[in-house]
Amino acid sequence: MQTADVVVIGGGIVGASVAFGLANLGLKPLLLDEGDNAFRASRGNFGLVWVQGKGLDCPEYAQWSRHSAGLWSNFARDLHERTGVDTGYERPGGVLLHMSAEEAHRSEAALAEIRRQCGDRPYEYEILDRMQLAEMLPGLGPTVYNGAYSPREGHVNPLYLMRALHTAMLGLGGTYRPDHRVDRIAREAGGYVVHSSGGMFSTARVVICAGLDTRRLAAQVGLDAPVRAIAGQVAVSERAAVTLPMPTNLVRQTREGSLMVGFTVDDLGLDTTTRVDRTRNIAALAVRAFPWLGDLRLVRSWACLRIMTGDGFPIYDEAPGFPGVHVVTCHSGITLAAAHALEIAPWIAGRSPAAGQERFSTGRFDVQAHR
């Protein structure tokens, strides 16, 4: 049996962010990953570091997202200096495009309510009419109604981020084990034994960051962590001259020139089928927003399963009766990567929790069920 300071279960963006943060504190994490056969949300997301629209009826989440977005510039710089991997992070601001008056009304009402709920805590956005947006976004389509602009928004290359996190963790003495699906977490004297398809590992600390498998593993230590799969589809175009200066909710242009369009939100269980009708819909919407995209060819399209908790907000909790066993899972793993590495990892290592973190314990689901 091998030993580790801490076993992190799940090698996606969330698990890798936590493992890097723990390694940066001097621990030697062991990162166990199911492998490429997993439903990996980290390879299928849109790459946004985004704040707008997050936190309705949960101002703590609005502020947590804003806080993590504010950490991202130094976080990305540190990863680049450590590894030589440029994650492609940029923070030019971003626009939530509204394609109709009805859509604008709903979105503006939600944004205003989030700002009201945040009270005296900042929540920055500005509603811009189509003419103002056209000055910011070259080639904006005539049917765009208006949009919400925030200077807090940014984007990143998720695949380079994954590589940078793994490289940085390994450089600090961590270990990565692919093809190690975890079956069981068992208590032993003084700690725990993690049973995986690749062997058993003895440790004093366990962090469950296992995506859609989080609920099964959390139940073994007495926690109910309700997560479900939300299918999303994304398409990417051939490269073009860099024209779009900032990301939007419908389209973003990568540093290399490709345009990413999407994404869909479908409740399809564990179905990862790439659907032509959904690709057609997101492409048509993107061309409505920016007609010049109609001259480009789509070169790839894929579906993925994203992680959604019972109420859409993160879960951070330590299992009662199982000291040292934590659950960390969320929908916005890219946006929250900096906070997971810099503030959730220290909490797991035994330091004080981040401000407001108690709002994201699993106990809230008991309260919701009671209500």
Side-chain angles (χ1 to χ4, degrees):
M1 186 183 302
Q2 301 177 57
T3 61
D5 291 347
V6 54
V7 172
V8 179
I9 305 171
I13 293 293
V14 175
S17 299
V18 170
F20 162 62
L22 292 169
N24 201 32
L25 295 171
L27 297 173
K28 296 295 185 286
L30 170 64
L31 186 60
L32 299 182
D33 193 4
E34 184 175 354
D36 285 340
N37 58 329
F39 293 116
R40 196 185 295 286
S42 300
R43 63 188 171 204
N45 66 76
F46 208 53
L48 295 178
V49 178
W50 200 262
V51 178
Q52 285 187 91
K54 295 180 178 179
L56 183 62
D57 297 326
C58 184
E60 296 89 350
Y61 182 47
Q63 293 302 311
W64 182 239
S65 299
R66 182 185 181 278
H67 175 64
S68 187
L71 297 172
W72 248 99
S73 293
N74 289 336
F75 178 60
R77 185 181 306 112
D78 180 45
L79 285 174
H80 192 189
E81 291 173 354
R82 289 174 182 273
T83 67
V85 178
D86 184 353
T87 62
Y89 172 72
E90 296 175 350
R91 189 187 184 186
V95 176
L96 187 64
L97 293 174
H98 304 141
M99 302 303 291
S100 68
E102 181 182 4
E103 182 182 354
H105 177 74
R106 289 196 307 269
S107 177
E108 289 172 30
L111 290 170
E113 179 60 16
I114 295 171
R115 175 179 279 174
R116 186 195 69 78
Q117 291 174 1
C118 286
D120 58 357
R121 293 168 292 183
Y123 188 78
E124 308 96 326
Y125 73 90
E126 179 182 3
I127 302 298
L128 303 178
D129 62 31
R130 192 202 163 279
M131 185 174 297
Q132 292 172 303
L133 288 177
E135 295 177 358
M136 299 172 60
L137 303 171
L140 189 71
T143 63
V144 174
Y145 183 79
N146 71 3
Y149 165 77
S150 170
R152 310 291 299 184
E153 320 298 13
H155 54 156
V156 69
N157 185 314
L159 300 181
Y160 284 149
L161 172 61
M162 177 84 86
R163 180 182 173 192
L165 289 169
H166 279 246
T167 302
M169 181 206 65
L170 294 173
L172 290 166
T175 304
Y176 173 65
R177 291 282 186 268
D179 302 317
H180 279 58
R181 182 183 187 275
V182 173
D183 301 311
R184 188 162 62 94
I185 302 168
R187 193 194 299 269
E188 72 165 5
Y192 307 93
V193 175
V194 177
H195 298 252
S196 80
S197 58
M200 296 187 300
F201 304 91
S202 176
T203 182
R205 295 185 179 93
V206 179
V207 190
I208 302 171
C209 308
L212 294 173
D213 217 15
T214 295
R215 190 168 199 171
R216 176 182 68 86
L217 294 171
Q220 297 182 15
V221 293
L223 284 178
D224 182 18
V227 295
R228 71 184 194 278
I230 295 295
Q233 192 153 307
V234 181
V236 62
S237 78
E238 62 184 329
R239 294 183 180 184
V242 177
T243 303
L244 199 59
M246 64 185 67
T248 74
N249 56 314
L250 301 179
V251 184
R252 79 174 185 94
Q253 189 165 26
T254 68
R255 182 179 293 178
E256 296 79 16
S258 300
L259 279 298
M260 294 188 70
V261 300
F263 39 79
T264 62
V265 177
D266 296 302
D267 191 352
L268 302 173
L270 300 181
D271 187 353
T272 58
T273 303
T274 302
R275 299 171 185 271
V276 175
D277 61 326
R278 305 301 276 158
T279 303
R280 183 187 303 117
N281 290 344
I282 60 177
L285 190 58
V287 171
R288 271 191 62 200
F290 298 97
W292 55 274
L293 293 178
D295 295 329
L296 299 177
R297 294 172 297 177
L298 292 180
V299 295
R300 293 192 305 280
S301 179
W302 63 91
C304 64
L305 298 181
R306 300 193 298 273
I307 313 303
M308 187 62 69
T309 64
D311 56 9
F313 307 132
I315 295 174
Y316 309 125
D317 211 345
E318 183 174 14
F322 293 81
V325 179
H326 297 78
V327 171
V328 178
T329 191
C330 69
H331 173 64
S332 297
I334 300 293
T335 299
L336 298 179
H340 288 164
L342 301 176
E343 299 198 7
I344 293 299
W347 164 63
I348 292 168
R351 303 184 186 181
S352 299
Q357 183 183 315
E358 65 280 355
R359 172 64 175 81
F360 305 116
S361 73
T362 58
R364 71 186 191 263
F365 299 115
D366 296 332
V367 174
Q368 291 167 8
H370 177 72
R371 287 175 178 170

